[in-house]
Amino acid sequence: MTEKIGRAERTRRTRARMLDAARALFVERGYAGTSVEAVAAAAGVATPTIYFTFGSKRVLLKEVLDVSVAGDDSAVPTMERPWFAEALAEPDPAAQLRLQVRAARRILERAAAVLEVVRAAAPADDEVAALWRVNQEQRLTVQRRLAAALAGKTRLRHDVDTAADILFAVLGPELFGVLTTTRGWSSARWEDWAVDSLAVQLLTSREERDDAPGR
């Protein structure tokens, strides 16, 4: 039993080392500029080990993205993560916004650079383009569920679909990258800006709610 545990732990560590090496190379060189051979050399494993573990460079990129977004290698979907449940359960809509923006910040700190690799490679590679589309669809699904939760707590300035679109744009990796990388903002400054911007765009004031038809 002890030997099996030791073997499983060594396998897990080797897999993590390969993913770390792949992430660093993808971010530095881009998807097309990163070879499986280079990842293997950086991880200190044989090239066939990469193929045996992941099957292809595209699957390796997907695994790097999944781990970067999740922050771990657990197969737990975003909408089953504790932060998501906490945001849904928060009764105050402004506090919900803060919770979901903070969660987005943590995800983007880990994953924005990898998402940019995927986005940049998509036009030249059909499989990576499919990966990018799936990621966008998943992010929009998450934001639509959070927008619906907000709408259940207060009257929004927009319908749920439009609110989800706004959340998708403001909390997306593109704008995060422009502000934190191109313009040099700290991620904490981005978080405060995103919370303030979304509150203005989505949440109505008490006066507006009091003046609503039927009140």
Side-chain angles (χ1 to χ4, degrees):
M1 178 64 74
T2 302
E3 183 181 350
K4 288 183 178 179
I5 292 174
R7 199 159 50 235
E9 178 61 19
R10 286 195 298 273
T11 299
R12 187 194 68 79
R13 291 181 181 180
T14 300
R15 181 185 181 87
R17 195 166 69 248
M18 290 187 287
L19 289 172
D20 287 345
R23 185 189 192 285
L25 289 172
F26 283 141
V27 171
E28 178 188 353
R29 303 179 184 179
Y31 181 71
T34 298
S35 67
V36 173
E37 291 76 12
V39 174
V45 301
T47 299
T49 302
I50 302 285
Y51 285 111
F52 177 79
T53 305
F54 301 102
S56 69
K57 187 169 79 166
R58 185 262 180 189
V59 174
L60 178 59
L61 177 62
K62 179 184 181 300
E63 291 287 332
V64 168
L65 178 59
D66 287 347
V67 170
S68 297
V69 169
D72 56 49
D73 58 2
S74 300
V76 179
T78 296
M79 290 194 291
E80 295 178 17
R81 295 272 168 174
W83 74 261
F84 191 86
E86 183 182 5
L88 293 183
E90 171 55 54
D92 177 57
Q96 179 192 318
L97 273 181
R98 172 64 73 174
L99 287 170
Q100 66 191 82
V101 172
R102 182 159 298 160
R105 169 189 167 183
R106 290 169 178 160
I107 291 169
L108 291 169
E109 285 173 336
R110 298 190 301 264
V114 180
L115 284 164
E116 175 56 24
V117 171
V118 178
R119 186 202 64 77
D125 188 296
D126 289 343
E127 289 189 334
V128 178
L131 177 60
W132 179 242
R133 284 195 303 273
V134 169
N135 176 267
Q136 288 182 306
E137 291 165 2
Q138 290 172 337
R139 285 190 281 122
L140 186 57
T141 297
V142 168
Q143 298 306 340
R144 188 174 287 118
R145 180 66 185 88
L146 290 166
L150 280 174
K153 298 168 187 177
T154 188
R155 186 168 69 88
L156 300 181
R157 294 183 182 278
H158 307 280
D159 60 73
V160 168
D161 283 344
T162 302
D165 288 344
I166 292 169
L167 287 163
F168 177 82
V170 172
L171 302 182
E174 300 89 349
L175 192 49
F176 180 84
V178 167
L179 293 177
T180 61
T181 301
T182 306
R183 298 304 308 150
W185 286 23
S186 68
S187 57
R189 182 182 178 189
W190 172 87
E191 178 184 325
D192 289 339
W193 169 83
V195 170
D196 291 344
S197 298
L198 290 170
V200 170
Q201 286 291 318
L202 300 181
L203 304 183
T204 54
S205 66
R206 182 183 298 275
E207 290 76 15
E208 289 172 311
R209 292 194 295 274
D210 290 342
D211 290 341
R215 295 288 299 210

